[in-house]
Amino acid sequence: MSHLSRIAEFVFGELSRSEMAEADQHLAGCADCRSEVDAFRHTQMLLKTSPDVEPPRRMIFEAEKRSFPWRWAVPVGVAAAFVLGVLAVAPIQVQWEDSRVIIAYGKPTEPVAPAPVVIRETAAQPIDYERIVEAVRQSHQEWLAGQMRNLTVANDRRIQRLDSSIAYLESMQRVMYRDTLDNASSIQLLAKSQLQE
Amino acid sequence: MKLGGIKPVDDRKIIERVLKGDTEAFNLLVRRWEKPIYNFILRMINDRDEAMDLCQESFMKAYRELRTLKDRDRFSAWLYRIAHNTCYSKLRKDAGKTFVELEPEVGEIRMPIVNRLAVESALQQLPEDQREVVVLKVFHNLKFDEIAAVQEAPVSTVKSRLYMGFEKLRSILG
């Protein structure tokens, strides 16, 4: 067995069964290689004292949904409210005649009868601006509430991320404190043994 | 061929479902591999938040490019390769920045310090290619030929990187 090139494969179990048997036999009679293997295993053991950690947050994949273009909701809502408001209060008629759409403003004129003239008095119908303004105000408020909800969710995520970082730093602080105490006692022992020499 | 105790046939079945349009099934793969991939990236770049972002980026790339995976039994090796590329993009971007590199203390009193901080610090003192081999071998149980595929390097180069890495770690950790 070539000493240096096969030690890693032996330690990590990547030799075939016959090669492993051959390696075991060699190690039984070669102190140098035994010492190399022990050193290798020792380093591996030290590395494994560092365990895996949990990721700070979970990942979730969602299928793409076709979203409603909410940015158009306010202008469309305002326009619709205005049109409905005008239609509700203004004398506008929409007729379909001979494949044509006829939009007429004002009351349809009635044919003048040759009979006696009837005088009609109609009261003027004012546009209800208050109702239109109220409808616009309401849709704007709903849009604002949606924006606030999105901001809150984003801020919650930021806070969560910060919390997990703080928790990690605190645990590292505790480990360092413990290690400092251990090191201090080791230094004391070493100093003592040197004095005795 | 098992990687970290998970059988490829389990991944294969999930991949087939994802490719048929079951996006939810991809979350099963994420659940299975997010911790190992996150820890691999963390040990490479040593920054928790950055590691989480790069982990997310790796899985997003894997989801987008799943159709290009030729051998569905080697999903995990393919995923490690993606994570490797993601890490190295970040490491190359940081290459111009100045970092304080700690040399191992030689000749002074060294005590075998066995704790997580010491291991993390020791790993960061290795060159990136040696660090990657050590991490994939010790913590993720990848075989030499799998690591060679991740690094796109010959197996002999991977082995020599492992030996050099272990030698340096031995001098640092004791």
Side-chain angles (χ1 to χ4, degrees):
Chain A
M1 161 170 124
S2 164
H3 294 227
L4 207 57
S5 67
R6 305 291 266 179
I7 286 180
E9 285 150 294
F10 174 76
V11 168
F12 289 105
E14 286 197 35
L15 295 176
S16 65
R17 207 174 277 182
S18 59
E19 285 169 332
M20 285 294 279
E22 196 189 312
D24 280 330
Q25 210 175 8
H26 174 82
L27 285 173
C30 179
D32 286 342
C33 281
R34 262 202 320 274
S35 159
E36 272 292 315
V37 166
D38 287 343
F40 220 91
R41 281 189 171 139
H42 180 69
T43 305
Q44 185 189 17
M45 188 261 312
L46 288 177
L47 287 171
K48 288 206 155 190
T49 60
S50 167
D52 281 358
V53 293
E54 290 295 327
R57 58 181 189 268
R58 291 279 174 225
M59 286 178 286
I60 297 173
F61 282 74
E62 285 180 351
E64 275 182 23
K65 292 171 193 159
R66 295 187 68 181
S67 58
F68 186 82
W70 286 106
R71 62 194 174 102
W72 290 107
V74 171
V76 167
V78 169
F82 180 74
V83 167
L84 286 172
V86 167
L87 282 176
V89 301
I92 292 177
Q93 293 172 14
V94 180
Q95 289 175 342
W96 181 264
E97 197 179 272
D98 295 335
S99 306
R100 290 180 306 163
V101 175
I102 300 166
I103 300 173
Y105 180 79
K107 290 188 178 173
T109 53
E110 292 170 17
V112 178
V117 174
V118 176
I119 299 169
R120 284 187 204 140
E121 279 187 7
T122 56
Q125 299 279 347
I127 294 174
D128 192 351
Y129 289 109
E130 273 188 28
R131 206 201 310 176
I132 295 170
V133 165
E134 181 57 33
V136 168
R137 196 176 64 82
Q138 220 168 346
S139 69
H140 183 63
Q141 270 183 338
E142 279 163 20
W143 174 81
L144 268 174
Q147 292 295 305
M148 288 300 296
R149 272 194 299 271
N150 291 342
L151 269 172
T152 307
V153 165
N155 283 341
D156 283 347
R157 277 201 200 115
R158 271 188 222 116
I159 289 168
Q160 215 177 4
R161 198 166 144 166
L162 283 167
D163 277 345
S164 67
S165 297
I166 290 167
Y168 173 72
L169 286 168
E170 281 173 352
S171 74
M172 285 295 108
Q173 204 175 24
R174 283 193 290 275
V175 167
M176 283 175 66
Y177 178 69
R178 249 198 337 266
D179 289 343
T180 306
L181 291 175
D182 289 343
N183 291 345
S185 64
S186 299
I187 289 169
Q188 274 182 331
L189 282 168
L190 195 64
K192 214 176 173 180
S193 68
Q194 282 188 339
L195 280 170
Q196 283 170 357
E197 280 171 21
Chain B
M1 174 179 49
K2 282 166 94 168
L3 250 162
I6 297 165
K7 294 177 198 164
V9 68
D10 304 324
D11 286 347
R12 172 179 261 276
K13 284 180 189 167
I14 298 171
I15 290 164
E16 280 163 12
R17 279 170 57 190
V18 175
L19 291 176
K20 281 178 188 168
D22 185 358
T23 313
E24 268 303 309
F26 189 73
N27 286 315
L28 294 173
L29 286 173
V30 172
R31 214 46 79 239
R32 186 175 287 176
W33 290 105
E34 63 180 346
K35 189 175 173 181
I37 295 294
Y38 169 75
N39 278 280
F40 163 59
I41 296 173
L42 179 61
R43 288 187 174 106
M44 287 301 293
I45 67 167
N46 202 31
D47 181 322
R48 287 187 91 219
D49 290 331
E50 198 64 57
M52 192 66 230
D53 291 340
L54 294 179
C55 183
Q56 207 161 302
E57 200 181 306
S58 301
F59 277 99
M60 278 171 63
K61 194 163 182 200
Y63 178 72
R64 281 197 301 265
E65 297 182 8
L66 197 59
R67 288 195 187 280
T68 67
L69 172 60
K70 294 186 180 76
D71 185 353
R72 291 171 191 177
D73 289 328
R74 295 181 65 96
F75 170 77
S76 50
W78 179 74
L79 187 59
Y80 275 108
R81 171 87 192 138
I82 291 175
H84 157 95
N85 288 338
T86 312
C87 277
Y88 272 76
S89 297
K90 166 70 184 161
L91 290 166
R92 268 185 237 118
K93 221 191 287 185
D94 287 347
K97 295 177 187 172
T98 307
F99 292 101
V100 176
E101 194 167 317
L102 302 170
E103 286 297 321
E105 294 171 356
V106 177
E108 295 177 21
I109 297 169
R110 285 196 313 274
M111 284 164 283
I113 305 166
V114 183
N115 57 52
R116 193 162 182 276
L117 285 174
V119 168
E120 283 173 7
S121 165
L123 281 172
Q124 291 308 309
Q125 291 180 52
L126 296 181
E128 288 137 13
D129 51 358
Q130 291 177 18
R131 190 188 321 149
E132 188 173 37
V133 175
V134 169
V135 168
L136 289 174
K137 198 82 194 112
V138 173
F139 298 101
H140 299 271
N141 302 316
L142 264 68
K143 296 193 188 315
F144 284 116
D145 58 344
E146 288 163 344
I147 299 174
V150 170
Q151 293 196 321
E152 287 192 334
V155 173
S156 54
T157 305
V158 167
K159 287 180 188 175
S160 69
R161 284 172 182 166
L162 182 78
Y163 279 111
M164 288 193 287
F166 262 63
E167 214 174 292
K168 187 156 184 181
L169 286 168
R170 210 181 306 170
S171 69
I172 299 166
L173 294 170

